[in-house]
Amino acid sequence: MSDSPQHRIFAILDADGDGAITRAEYLARVDRVASALGRDAHHPVVAASRAAHEAVFQDMDGDHDGRVTFEEYRAWVGPDAFERACRPALGSMFDIADTDADGLLNRDEFTRLRTAAGNAETDAAAAFDALDADRDGLIDRDTYLTGIRDFVTMGDSPMAAAYGTAHGTGRPVLDARP
């Protein structure tokens, strides 16, 4: 598999590496983030995130067979899909991590979000530093989503440049996934 943004993202979403993303694999990310941030599974922000991720999965699954292949993902992903589906889903993950609901993530919240999503802690720290351009120790929602959008749609962003590969797996750890 190449190292294109689409391949990198697909490889992460396909958690078991079998060549397809299942609904269970995709939705499990919401529960991992909620757990890492101490959010109850029934909290309204977690329920909203689960619903947003369900909508993304249904949108990605072009043939509606319950599995998203790389070909389906590649045909789906892009600026329109990001704005229509990914922005709300990724924003909902930000909201889970924003435990004080101030519209900002501090380093701890950001790191817990990113590591629960599969990134190495050192990569999450580097991504935080790359996004915190004004060095105030906070990342706002728009900056976070713009960093991900730029990687998904253009293959480049300050956040994406900070990521390497998962410890010993050879799999990418960038979580710019919808």
Side-chain angles (χ1 to χ4, degrees):
M1 193 171 273
S2 86
D3 196 35
S4 74
Q6 292 80 21
H7 283 101
R8 292 181 74 190
I9 294 164
F10 185 85
I12 292 170
L13 294 173
D14 179 16
D16 64 8
D18 70 352
I21 305 161
T22 65
R23 180 180 177 276
E25 283 174 312
Y26 192 70
L27 296 179
R29 58 193 263 112
V30 174
D31 296 325
R32 285 192 311 270
V33 170
S35 178
L37 276 296
R39 295 282 196 166
D40 182 84
H42 303 290
H43 190 283
V45 75
V46 177
S49 186
R50 215 175 274 113
H53 280 77
E54 180 69 46
V56 171
F57 186 82
Q58 295 305 319
D59 203 37
M60 284 191 300
D61 187 9
D63 63 6
H64 306 291
D65 67 351
R67 296 169 40 92
V68 177
T69 64
F70 178 71
E71 291 74 25
E72 285 174 293
Y73 179 77
R74 183 175 50 199
W76 172 82
V77 74
D80 291 340
F82 186 88
E83 293 304 325
R84 176 183 67 250
C86 299
R87 182 176 289 278
L90 292 167
S92 73
M93 297 270 275
F94 181 100
D95 297 342
I96 291 172
D98 183 13
T99 56
D100 59 5
D102 65 356
L104 302 165
L105 297 183
N106 62 37
R107 183 178 293 274
D108 178 61
E109 292 167 327
F110 182 91
T111 300
R112 289 193 290 156
L113 165 61
R114 303 304 297 171
T115 56
N119 301 127
E121 191 169 333
T122 55
D123 292 342
F128 185 90
D129 292 340
L131 290 175
D132 185 16
D134 64 4
R135 304 292 179 240
D136 67 352
L138 300 167
I139 304 296
D140 66 64
R141 197 174 198 266
D142 188 57
T143 299
Y144 179 75
L145 293 172
T146 297
I148 295 171
R149 182 202 65 217
D150 289 351
F151 181 75
V152 170
T153 62
M154 297 181 292
D156 187 32
S157 81
M159 193 163 123
Y163 288 101
T165 58
H167 302 287
T169 67
R171 293 186 65 181
V173 295
L174 175 66
D175 182 36
R177 51 193 160 172

